[in-house]
Amino acid sequence: MRVLLVDRLLLDALRLAIEARHRDLDVDVAADEATALDLAAQWQPQLVLLDWWLGADAAARCFTALRDACPHARIVVMSGDDSACVVAQALELGACGFLRENAASF
């Protein structure tokens, strides 16, 4: 399975943790929206783990663009901000799940 990890801060740590526990996964990483969209179009991942706060703005635009670029991928939003409005917005966009970053265990 191919996984796309989109996060601006925890890329290396998350990638190593995922690959250590799931050696059958191919994990691509992107620290920004443009790189994420390029990788998504190129590799068509089955799973996207998307940091909700890629920059100053929420990743709603990136989520929509990723959904269009790889329509068969499951997109899971990650964030340290688990406020009801963030979780609701992610789920309304079509997220398959929500992981609180400091509580996620891979």
Side-chain angles (χ1 to χ4, degrees):
M1 175 189 289
R2 184 166 290 280
V3 177
L4 174 59
L5 173 59
V6 186
D7 191 298
R8 62 188 168 90
L9 298 176
L10 304 173
L11 284 178
D12 292 329
L14 284 173
R15 180 183 198 168
L16 289 173
I18 291 169
E19 289 178 338
R21 291 189 104 183
H22 303 283
R23 297 173 195 262
D24 57 327
L25 298 179
D26 294 315
V27 181
D28 297 306
V29 296
D32 57 63
E33 182 177 347
T35 305
L37 293 174
D38 287 344
L39 290 171
Q42 180 180 0
W43 295 111
Q44 292 296 303
Q46 289 86 18
L47 175 64
V48 176
L49 299 173
L50 175 63
D51 181 10
W52 188 250
W53 296 107
L54 282 176
D57 298 320
R61 183 184 71 226
C62 184
F63 185 103
T64 302
L66 284 168
R67 189 181 60 213
D68 293 342
C70 47
H72 300 293
R74 292 183 174 174
I75 302 175
V76 175
V77 170
M78 305 179 302
S79 182
D81 180 356
D82 65 348
S83 64
C85 65
V86 168
V87 175
Q89 187 176 9
L91 295 176
E92 285 172 9
L93 285 170
C96 292
F98 185 93
L99 293 173
R100 185 168 183 216
E101 282 183 334
N102 61 355
S105 72
F106 297 96

XYZ file of all heavy atoms in Angstrom:
805
model
N 0.850 -1.169 0.000
C 0.000 0.000 0.000
C 0.894 1.229 0.000
O 1.899 1.278 0.687
C -0.903 0.029 1.234
C -1.727 1.307 1.321
S -2.623 1.559 2.870
C -3.882 0.339 2.733
N 0.497 2.212 -0.740
C 1.225 3.478 -0.783
C 0.504 4.491 0.094
O -0.708 4.657 0.016
C 1.336 3.996 -2.200
C 2.189 5.268 -2.250
C 2.620 5.633 -3.634
N 3.580 4.767 -4.244
C 4.905 4.778 -4.020
N 5.418 5.588 -3.150
N 5.701 3.984 -4.675
N 1.295 5.161 0.940
C 0.785 6.142 1.885
C 1.467 7.479 1.611
O 2.681 7.529 1.394
C 1.076 5.718 3.342
C 0.621 6.779 4.321
C 0.430 4.380 3.642
N 0.684 8.551 1.621
C 1.225 9.903 1.509
C 1.039 10.597 2.847
O -0.084 10.705 3.340
C 0.523 10.687 0.400
C 0.905 12.168 0.265
C 2.406 12.329 0.009
C 0.096 12.813 -0.847
N 2.132 11.033 3.441
C 2.120 11.719 4.720
C 2.395 13.194 4.467
O 3.441 13.550 3.921
C 3.194 11.120 5.630
C 3.466 11.790 6.956
C 2.214 11.826 7.816
C 4.585 11.074 7.675
N 1.439 14.057 4.821
C 1.564 15.495 4.588
C 1.557 16.199 5.938
O 0.527 16.278 6.606
C 0.412 16.027 3.704
C 0.648 17.487 3.359
C 0.236 15.181 2.448
N 2.729 16.675 6.339
C 2.880 17.312 7.644
C 4.098 18.208 7.574
O 5.093 17.853 6.973
C 3.066 16.241 8.721
C 2.970 16.798 10.121
O 3.811 17.651 10.472
O 2.082 16.376 10.870
N 4.031 19.361 8.195
C 5.158 20.287 8.088
C 6.193 20.107 9.185
O 7.312 20.563 9.059
C 4.671 21.731 8.055
C 3.943 22.165 9.270
C 3.319 23.556 9.088
N 2.412 23.809 10.164
C 2.767 24.380 11.308
N 3.993 24.767 11.493
N 1.883 24.554 12.249
N 5.872 19.413 10.273
C 6.801 19.319 11.395
C 7.295 17.900 11.705
O 8.444 17.719 12.053
C 6.149 19.885 12.665
C 5.770 21.362 12.625
C 5.046 21.758 13.893
C 7.008 22.217 12.435
N 6.436 16.932 11.623
C 6.751 15.598 12.146
C 7.072 14.564 11.075
O 6.984 13.369 11.328
C 5.562 15.105 12.978
C 5.134 16.017 14.118
C 3.856 15.510 14.750
C 6.235 16.128 15.154
N 7.458 14.992 9.891
C 7.629 14.073 8.774
C 8.537 12.892 9.074
O 8.152 11.738 8.900
C 8.178 14.814 7.550
C 7.193 15.672 6.795
C 7.897 16.388 5.650
C 6.060 14.842 6.258
N 9.756 13.159 9.468
C 10.721 12.081 9.647
C 10.322 11.129 10.761
O 10.411 9.914 10.613
C 12.117 12.653 9.897
C 12.669 13.355 8.665
O 12.325 12.947 7.535
O 13.432 14.313 8.839
N 9.870 11.673 11.882
C 9.485 10.824 13.007
C 8.297 9.936 12.652
O 8.295 8.735 12.935
C 9.171 11.678 14.228
N 7.283 10.514 12.021
C 6.113 9.722 11.644
C 6.457 8.680 10.580
O 6.014 7.537 10.644
C 4.993 10.630 11.137
C 4.230 11.402 12.201
C 3.276 12.395 11.553
C 3.471 10.454 13.104
N 7.245 9.080 9.611
C 7.635 8.135 8.557
C 8.373 6.940 9.149
O 8.070 5.793 8.833
C 8.500 8.832 7.523
C 8.926 7.913 6.410
C 9.834 8.631 5.453
N 9.885 7.913 4.202
C 10.409 8.395 3.107
N 10.919 9.610 3.092
N 10.435 7.680 2.020
N 9.350 7.192 10.009
C 10.111 6.105 10.632
C 9.210 5.203 11.477
O 9.333 3.983 11.447
C 11.253 6.670 11.474
C 12.400 7.291 10.693
C 13.377 7.977 11.643
C 13.113 6.245 9.852
N 8.294 5.807 12.230
C 7.391 5.017 13.068
C 6.477 4.136 12.227
O 6.265 2.961 12.538
C 6.563 5.943 13.960
N 5.950 4.690 11.152
C 5.052 3.919 10.284
C 5.815 2.785 9.601
O 5.383 1.626 9.596
C 4.385 4.830 9.239
C 3.398 5.772 9.918
C 3.677 4.008 8.167
C 2.883 6.882 9.018
N 6.959 3.106 9.033
C 7.723 2.084 8.310
C 8.266 0.997 9.236
O 8.367 -0.162 8.833
C 8.857 2.743 7.526
C 8.362 3.540 6.342
C 9.454 4.249 5.574
O 10.542 4.500 6.136
O 9.212 4.553 4.404
N 8.582 1.348 10.476
C 9.083 0.353 11.428
C 8.010 -0.676 11.786
O 8.304 -1.864 11.942
C 9.591 1.041 12.689
N 6.785 -0.226 11.892
C 5.698 -1.138 12.268
C 5.011 -1.786 11.078
O 4.392 -2.825 11.212
C 4.663 -0.390 13.101
C 5.219 -0.017 14.471
C 4.161 0.509 15.330
N 3.774 -0.520 16.300
C 2.808 -0.349 17.162
N 2.112 0.754 17.155
N 2.528 -1.282 18.025
N 5.096 -1.163 9.927
C 4.392 -1.651 8.741
C 5.354 -1.653 7.567
O 5.318 -0.773 6.713
C 3.174 -0.767 8.450
C 2.231 -0.678 9.602
N 1.358 -1.670 9.926
C 2.065 0.300 10.535
C 0.670 -1.321 10.998
N 1.083 -0.135 11.387
N 6.199 -2.649 7.511
C 7.262 -2.710 6.511
C 6.753 -2.873 5.081
O 7.491 -2.643 4.133
C 8.238 -3.821 6.860
C 8.936 -3.572 8.173
C 9.772 -4.760 8.600
N 10.142 -4.641 9.983
C 11.299 -4.180 10.400
N 12.189 -3.782 9.537
N 11.555 -4.113 11.684
N 5.508 -3.238 4.929
C 4.938 -3.427 3.593
C 4.400 -2.128 2.985
O 3.937 -2.131 1.846
C 3.817 -4.460 3.650
C 2.712 -4.088 4.629
O 3.019 -3.457 5.653
O 1.560 -4.438 4.369
N 4.498 -1.025 3.710
C 3.991 0.248 3.206
C 5.087 1.053 2.524
O 6.228 1.074 2.973
C 3.413 1.094 4.346
C 2.229 0.516 5.105
C 1.812 1.474 6.207
C 1.085 0.233 4.179
N 4.741 1.714 1.441
C 5.607 2.694 0.798
C 5.113 4.059 1.248
O 3.976 4.435 0.947
C 5.511 2.599 -0.725
C 6.050 1.281 -1.253
O 7.128 0.877 -0.794
O 5.387 0.676 -2.109
N 5.938 4.794 1.974
C 5.525 6.066 2.552
C 6.233 7.214 1.836
O 7.459 7.295 1.828
C 5.827 6.128 4.063
C 5.375 7.458 4.644
C 5.169 4.961 4.793
N 5.449 8.080 1.216
C 5.965 9.305 0.622
C 5.637 10.440 1.575
O 4.611 10.411 2.256
C 5.297 9.571 -0.732
C 5.609 8.489 -1.743
O 6.806 8.220 -1.965
O 4.661 7.903 -2.298
N 6.500 11.447 1.616
C 6.283 12.555 2.535
C 6.296 13.886 1.800
O 6.998 14.065 0.804
C 7.333 12.577 3.673
C 7.208 11.341 4.542
C 8.738 12.698 3.131
N 5.482 14.802 2.298
C 5.410 16.157 1.750
C 5.233 17.124 2.906
O 4.430 16.883 3.809
C 4.243 16.273 0.781
N 5.960 18.228 2.848
C 5.872 19.233 3.908
C 4.977 20.400 3.529
O 4.745 21.289 4.338
C 7.263 19.755 4.253
N 4.454 20.381 2.288
C 3.607 21.489 1.852
C 2.597 20.981 0.820
O 2.705 19.868 0.304
C 4.446 22.626 1.272
C 5.318 22.175 0.119
O 4.775 21.741 -0.910
O 6.556 22.239 0.251
N 1.629 21.830 0.554
C 0.527 21.471 -0.341
C 1.001 21.160 -1.757
O 0.576 20.164 -2.359
C -0.500 22.601 -0.372
C -1.693 22.315 -1.236
C -2.731 23.417 -1.184
O -2.659 24.300 -0.306
O -3.640 23.381 -2.027
N 1.885 21.965 -2.313
C 2.331 21.758 -3.692
C 3.017 20.409 -3.852
O 2.733 19.656 -4.810
C 3.264 22.889 -4.117
N 3.893 20.069 -2.934
C 4.577 18.774 -2.995
C 3.590 17.640 -2.817
O 3.664 16.618 -3.515
C 5.683 18.706 -1.916
O 6.566 19.814 -2.086
C 6.460 17.412 -2.008
N 2.647 17.797 -1.896
C 1.636 16.765 -1.662
C 0.822 16.497 -2.925
O 0.572 15.340 -3.281
C 0.713 17.175 -0.521
N 0.425 17.556 -3.602
C -0.385 17.386 -4.817
C 0.422 16.734 -5.934
O -0.106 15.884 -6.668
C -0.954 18.727 -5.259
C -1.987 19.317 -4.309
C -2.388 20.712 -4.757
C -3.188 18.412 -4.182
N 1.695 17.092 -6.060
C 2.548 16.453 -7.070
C 2.688 14.965 -6.792
O 2.552 14.139 -7.699
C 3.940 17.104 -7.093
C 3.944 18.483 -7.722
O 2.958 18.842 -8.416
O 4.931 19.218 -7.521
N 2.968 14.603 -5.536
C 3.130 13.195 -5.180
C 1.821 12.422 -5.327
O 1.818 11.283 -5.788
C 3.663 13.066 -3.751
C 5.110 13.498 -3.544
C 5.445 13.533 -2.055
C 6.057 12.563 -4.287
N 0.723 13.041 -4.947
C -0.575 12.375 -5.070
C -0.898 12.074 -6.523
O -1.362 10.978 -6.851
C -1.669 13.234 -4.452
N -0.648 13.025 -7.404
C -0.915 12.809 -8.831
C 0.006 11.739 -9.403
O -0.414 10.923 -10.229
C -0.746 14.121 -9.594
N 1.243 11.724 -8.951
C 2.220 10.775 -9.484
C 1.994 9.352 -8.980
O 2.058 8.402 -9.748
C 3.632 11.228 -9.100
C 4.735 10.325 -9.590
C 6.106 10.830 -9.184
O 6.252 11.854 -8.542
N 7.122 10.095 -9.573
N 1.750 9.187 -7.683
C 1.728 7.857 -7.070
C 0.338 7.324 -6.736
O 0.207 6.152 -6.408
C 2.593 7.857 -5.820
C 4.031 8.098 -6.126
C 4.747 9.213 -5.797
C 4.927 7.248 -6.834
N 6.024 9.091 -6.254
C 6.171 7.899 -6.903
C 4.787 5.995 -7.432
C 7.273 7.335 -7.523
C 5.889 5.435 -8.055
C 7.112 6.097 -8.100
N -0.691 8.157 -6.752
C -2.046 7.711 -6.422
C -2.078 6.866 -5.138
O -2.397 5.676 -5.152
C -2.647 6.915 -7.589
C -2.922 7.748 -8.817
C -3.976 8.817 -8.561
O -5.082 8.515 -8.158
N -3.618 10.080 -8.776
N -1.763 7.485 -3.997
C -1.740 6.720 -2.744
C -3.130 6.216 -2.373
O -4.137 6.806 -2.753
C -1.239 7.747 -1.725
C -1.668 9.059 -2.293
C -1.533 8.908 -3.785
N -3.148 5.132 -1.618
C -4.411 4.601 -1.116
C -4.822 5.293 0.184
O -5.989 5.308 0.545
C -4.310 3.082 -0.874
C -4.241 2.271 -2.134
C -2.811 2.125 -2.661
O -1.847 2.342 -1.947
N -2.687 1.783 -3.924
N -3.821 5.847 0.891
C -4.072 6.502 2.166
C -3.281 7.803 2.213
O -2.098 7.829 1.856
C -3.630 5.603 3.333
C -3.711 6.191 4.741
C -5.145 6.512 5.133
C -3.078 5.235 5.748
N -3.938 8.867 2.659
C -3.280 10.155 2.869
C -3.485 10.536 4.333
O -4.615 10.564 4.816
C -3.855 11.266 1.957
C -3.211 12.611 2.277
C -3.693 10.906 0.492
N -2.389 10.818 5.026
C -2.441 11.342 6.382
C -2.097 12.817 6.272
O -0.972 13.173 5.915
C -1.433 10.625 7.287
C -1.649 9.122 7.439
C -0.504 8.493 8.211
C -2.973 8.836 8.122
N -3.057 13.683 6.544
C -2.933 15.115 6.276
C -2.988 15.935 7.555
O -3.979 15.884 8.290
C -4.068 15.554 5.342
C -4.203 17.043 5.035
C -2.976 17.573 4.301
C -5.464 17.297 4.220
N -1.918 16.685 7.806
C -1.893 17.626 8.934
C -2.865 18.766 8.623
O -2.782 19.395 7.570
C -0.479 18.167 9.108
C -0.344 19.138 10.266
O -1.290 19.273 11.067
O 0.715 19.772 10.366
N -3.794 19.022 9.524
C -4.808 20.057 9.295
C -4.211 21.447 9.239
O -4.691 22.314 8.531
C -5.892 19.979 10.371
C -7.046 20.869 10.079
C -7.385 22.010 10.742
C -8.008 20.721 9.032
N -8.501 22.565 10.172
C -8.914 21.786 9.116
C -8.193 19.777 8.035
C -9.974 21.936 8.245
C -9.254 19.919 7.161
C -10.129 20.998 7.279
N -3.152 21.692 9.987
C -2.528 23.017 10.011
C -1.180 22.956 9.302
O -0.134 22.891 9.917
C -2.375 23.526 11.445
C -3.690 23.730 12.108
C -4.249 22.959 13.078
C -4.648 24.754 11.830
N -5.487 23.445 13.420
C -5.753 24.548 12.679
C -4.678 25.825 10.947
C -6.870 25.375 12.664
C -5.789 26.646 10.933
C -6.863 26.417 11.798
N -1.204 22.989 7.982
C 0.030 22.981 7.200
C 0.757 24.312 7.274
O 1.959 24.387 7.115
C -0.272 22.674 5.737
C -0.542 21.219 5.413
C -0.932 21.070 3.952
C 0.663 20.371 5.723
N 0.032 25.357 7.468
C 0.607 26.697 7.570
C -0.286 27.528 8.453
O -0.874 27.025 9.402
N -0.429 28.771 8.103
C -1.277 29.663 8.896
C -2.753 29.338 8.732
O -3.564 29.635 9.597
C -1.020 31.114 8.496
N -3.109 28.725 7.606
C -4.508 28.413 7.327
C -4.770 26.914 7.463
O -3.878 26.088 7.351
C -4.864 28.839 5.898
C -4.715 30.339 5.697
O -5.096 31.090 6.620
O -4.211 30.738 4.645
N -6.017 26.587 7.684
C -6.414 25.184 7.732
C -6.225 24.549 6.355
O -6.172 25.230 5.335
C -7.867 25.079 8.169
N -6.133 23.254 6.332
C -5.831 22.516 5.109
C -7.072 22.150 4.297
O -7.038 21.223 3.500
C -5.053 21.257 5.458
N -8.153 22.871 4.453
C -9.384 22.544 3.719
C -9.152 22.578 2.212
O -9.603 21.686 1.480
C -10.510 23.489 4.105
N -8.453 23.587 1.726
C -8.177 23.680 0.290
C -7.304 22.519 -0.168
O -7.544 21.895 -1.193
C -7.502 25.012 -0.039
C -7.246 25.207 -1.526
C -6.496 26.475 -1.838
N -5.117 26.325 -1.374
C -4.451 27.238 -0.683
N -5.013 28.376 -0.378
N -3.204 27.038 -0.312
N -6.282 22.178 0.626
C -5.400 21.061 0.301
C -6.178 19.758 0.321
O -5.998 18.910 -0.549
C -4.234 21.008 1.281
S -3.020 19.727 0.920
N -7.054 19.587 1.301
C -7.872 18.379 1.395
C -8.685 18.201 0.110
O -8.692 17.120 -0.485
C -8.819 18.469 2.597
C -9.613 17.216 2.828
C -9.264 16.341 3.826
C -10.711 16.906 2.031
C -9.988 15.170 4.037
C -11.441 15.744 2.227
C -11.075 14.880 3.235
N -9.356 19.245 -0.316
C -10.189 19.190 -1.513
C -9.347 18.879 -2.750
O -9.731 18.053 -3.585
C -10.957 20.505 -1.697
O -11.746 20.730 -0.517
C -11.865 20.467 -2.900
N -8.191 19.514 -2.861
C -7.313 19.268 -4.008
C -6.779 17.835 -3.994
O -6.695 17.189 -5.052
C -6.168 20.272 -4.010
N -6.431 17.314 -2.825
C -5.976 15.924 -2.735
C -7.095 14.951 -3.086
O -6.867 13.948 -3.761
C -5.449 15.627 -1.325
C -4.082 16.190 -1.000
C -3.813 16.093 0.501
C -3.002 15.447 -1.788
N -8.287 15.258 -2.628
C -9.437 14.402 -2.943
C -9.662 14.351 -4.445
O -9.966 13.291 -5.013
C -10.679 14.917 -2.217
C -11.872 13.983 -2.300
C -13.076 14.546 -1.604
N -13.413 15.818 -2.241
C -13.940 16.850 -1.604
N -14.206 16.773 -0.321
N -14.230 17.958 -2.233
N -9.469 15.479 -5.130
C -9.625 15.526 -6.582
C -8.467 14.814 -7.295
O -8.664 14.163 -8.317
C -9.721 16.965 -7.074
C -11.005 17.654 -6.611
O -11.957 16.945 -6.212
O -11.039 18.897 -6.645
N -7.250 14.944 -6.746
C -6.061 14.356 -7.376
C -6.002 12.847 -7.226
O -5.502 12.153 -8.113
C -4.796 14.979 -6.784
N -6.499 12.333 -6.123
C -6.493 10.873 -5.901
C -7.834 10.482 -5.267
O -7.926 10.262 -4.063
C -5.304 10.441 -5.064
S -4.973 11.394 -3.578
N -8.868 10.401 -6.098
C -10.229 10.208 -5.596
C -10.478 8.887 -4.865
O -11.432 8.787 -4.104
C -11.087 10.313 -6.859
C -10.170 10.040 -7.988
C -8.820 10.502 -7.550
N -9.609 7.905 -5.063
C -9.820 6.611 -4.401
C -9.088 6.504 -3.069
O -9.242 5.515 -2.362
C -9.400 5.473 -5.325
C -10.184 5.468 -6.598
N -11.534 5.194 -6.644
C -9.823 5.753 -7.867
C -11.970 5.285 -7.886
N -10.952 5.629 -8.654
N -8.307 7.528 -2.739
C -7.548 7.502 -1.483
C -8.455 7.796 -0.294
O -9.392 8.580 -0.391
C -6.425 8.536 -1.531
N -8.147 7.163 0.790
C -8.776 7.516 2.060
C -7.916 8.597 2.689
O -6.704 8.452 2.787
C -8.858 6.306 2.973
C -9.811 5.273 2.436
C -9.948 4.133 3.359
N -10.980 3.258 2.837
C -11.282 2.100 3.345
N -10.628 1.656 4.394
N -12.235 1.370 2.819
N -8.549 9.682 3.102
C -7.816 10.795 3.698
C -8.171 10.869 5.175
O -9.347 10.976 5.537
C -8.136 12.126 2.996
C -7.810 12.030 1.498
C -7.355 13.273 3.655
C -8.196 13.258 0.695
N -7.139 10.799 6.001
C -7.286 10.914 7.447
C -6.605 12.208 7.864
O -5.457 12.458 7.498
C -6.654 9.713 8.178
C -6.710 9.905 9.686
C -7.358 8.411 7.767
N -7.310 13.032 8.602
C -6.771 14.306 9.066
C -6.110 14.099 10.420
O -6.641 13.401 11.288
C -7.892 15.369 9.157
C -7.394 16.617 9.853
C -8.407 15.700 7.765
N -4.936 14.725 10.585
C -4.224 14.709 11.859
C -4.104 16.147 12.344
O -3.904 17.050 11.543
C -2.804 14.170 11.681
C -2.702 12.822 11.042
S -0.972 12.302 10.870
C -0.270 13.628 9.877
N -4.218 16.339 13.648
C -4.023 17.679 14.194
C -3.884 17.612 15.702
O -4.485 16.749 16.340
C -5.199 18.588 13.833
O -4.972 19.889 14.327
N -3.117 18.520 16.235
C -3.079 18.691 17.680
C -4.294 19.458 18.164
O -4.607 19.466 19.343
N -4.987 20.087 17.242
C -6.207 20.846 17.527
C -7.404 19.928 17.288
O -7.781 19.669 16.155
C -6.285 22.069 16.606
C -7.524 22.916 16.821
O -8.390 22.539 17.642
O -7.625 23.950 16.142
N -7.960 19.412 18.358
C -9.103 18.512 18.210
C -10.411 19.187 18.633
O -11.340 18.536 19.112
C -8.890 17.215 18.977
C -8.825 17.409 20.476
O -8.712 18.565 20.939
O -8.878 16.400 21.204
N -10.483 20.498 18.399
C -11.716 21.216 18.725
C -12.851 20.687 17.863
O -12.635 20.180 16.757
C -11.532 22.719 18.502
O -11.290 22.991 17.136
N -14.047 20.808 18.360
C -15.220 20.284 17.661
C -15.352 20.859 16.256
O -15.721 20.143 15.317
C -16.483 20.559 18.475
N -15.030 22.130 16.079
C -15.189 22.733 14.747
C -14.166 22.188 13.760
O -14.488 21.979 12.584
C -15.153 24.255 14.818
S -13.604 24.957 15.354
N -12.943 21.916 14.195
C -11.929 21.348 13.301
C -12.318 19.927 12.907
O -12.289 19.561 11.728
C -10.531 21.372 13.956
C -9.535 20.535 13.165
C -10.042 22.802 14.076
N -12.699 19.120 13.872
C -13.096 17.739 13.585
C -14.311 17.732 12.667
O -14.350 16.993 11.674
C -13.386 16.962 14.891
C -13.921 15.580 14.580
C -12.128 16.873 15.744
N -15.296 18.558 12.952
C -16.506 18.608 12.127
C -16.187 19.042 10.701
O -16.699 18.458 9.741
C -17.534 19.556 12.751
N -15.338 20.049 10.543
C -14.996 20.511 9.199
C -14.276 19.419 8.410
O -14.577 19.190 7.238
C -14.145 21.773 9.259
C -13.919 22.382 7.888
C -13.160 23.696 7.934
O -12.643 24.090 8.968
N -13.089 24.359 6.808
N -13.359 18.726 9.048
C -12.636 17.646 8.368
C -13.604 16.540 7.933
O -13.539 16.047 6.802
C -11.549 17.084 9.278
N -14.495 16.161 8.815
C -15.453 15.104 8.488
C -16.450 15.547 7.422
O -16.830 14.754 6.554
C -16.166 14.619 9.750
C -15.249 13.932 10.774
C -16.034 13.589 12.036
C -14.564 12.713 10.196
N -16.858 16.808 7.461
C -17.770 17.336 6.435
C -17.122 17.323 5.051
O -17.798 17.123 4.046
C -18.211 18.756 6.784
C -19.230 18.810 7.906
C -19.521 20.229 8.362
O -19.082 21.190 7.712
O -20.200 20.375 9.397
N -15.808 17.522 4.998
C -15.093 17.478 3.726
C -14.965 16.055 3.191
O -14.671 15.857 2.024
C -13.698 18.089 3.879
C -13.653 19.604 3.977
C -12.255 20.059 4.383
C -14.060 20.246 2.658
N -15.166 15.078 4.074
C -15.091 13.685 3.640
C -13.949 12.895 4.228
O -13.628 11.815 3.733
N -13.318 13.408 5.282
C -12.236 12.665 5.923
C -12.750 11.322 6.428
O -13.868 11.225 6.933
C -11.643 13.468 7.078
N -11.925 10.304 6.288
C -12.282 8.977 6.779
C -12.046 8.832 8.272
O -12.523 7.878 8.883
C -11.474 7.914 6.045
S -11.931 7.777 4.326
N -11.300 9.769 8.821
C -11.018 9.716 10.240
C -10.252 10.946 10.681
O -9.851 11.776 9.872
N -10.061 11.051 11.985
C -9.348 12.176 12.581
C -8.446 11.626 13.671
O -8.903 10.889 14.542
C -10.342 13.179 13.169
C -9.687 14.417 13.697
C -9.546 15.544 12.895
C -9.185 14.469 14.989
C -8.932 16.695 13.367
C -8.572 15.610 15.482
C -8.439 16.718 14.665
N -7.151 11.959 13.608
C -6.200 11.547 14.627
C -5.664 12.772 15.343
O -5.193 13.708 14.702
C -5.001 10.815 13.996
C -5.262 9.474 13.348
C -4.014 8.991 12.631
C -5.698 8.470 14.395
N -5.728 12.751 16.652
C -5.111 13.819 17.422
C -3.615 13.509 17.451
O -3.209 12.453 17.933
C -5.693 13.876 18.819
C -5.166 15.035 19.593
C -5.962 15.252 20.842
N -5.446 16.429 21.522
C -5.387 16.529 22.832
N -5.847 15.563 23.589
N -4.899 17.614 23.364
N -2.799 14.420 16.950
C -1.376 14.126 16.748
C -0.656 13.663 17.985
O 0.108 12.721 17.923
C -0.657 15.336 16.146
C -0.918 15.457 14.671
C -0.167 16.600 14.029
O 0.169 17.584 14.728
O 0.082 16.494 12.828
N -0.858 14.284 19.114
C -0.116 13.869 20.285
C -0.678 12.593 20.919
O -0.103 12.052 21.839
C -0.008 14.987 21.322
C -1.359 15.434 21.822
O -2.385 14.986 21.354
N -1.338 16.330 22.793
N -1.797 12.099 20.397
C -2.359 10.868 20.918
C -2.250 9.718 19.919
O -2.544 8.583 20.241
C -3.850 11.062 21.255
N -1.793 10.010 18.705
C -1.706 8.981 17.671
C -0.555 8.037 17.971
O 0.517 8.436 18.364
C -1.490 9.634 16.304
N -0.817 6.752 17.807
C 0.265 5.773 17.912
C 0.252 4.931 16.659
O -0.779 4.404 16.247
C 0.088 4.899 19.144
O -0.961 4.005 18.986
N 1.366 4.891 16.027
C 1.492 4.140 14.791
C 2.202 2.863 15.104
O 2.700 2.144 14.491
C 2.240 4.963 13.731
C 1.508 6.203 13.353
C 1.793 7.420 13.928
C 0.488 6.150 12.419
C 1.113 8.552 13.560
C -0.198 7.288 12.054
C 0.125 8.486 12.634
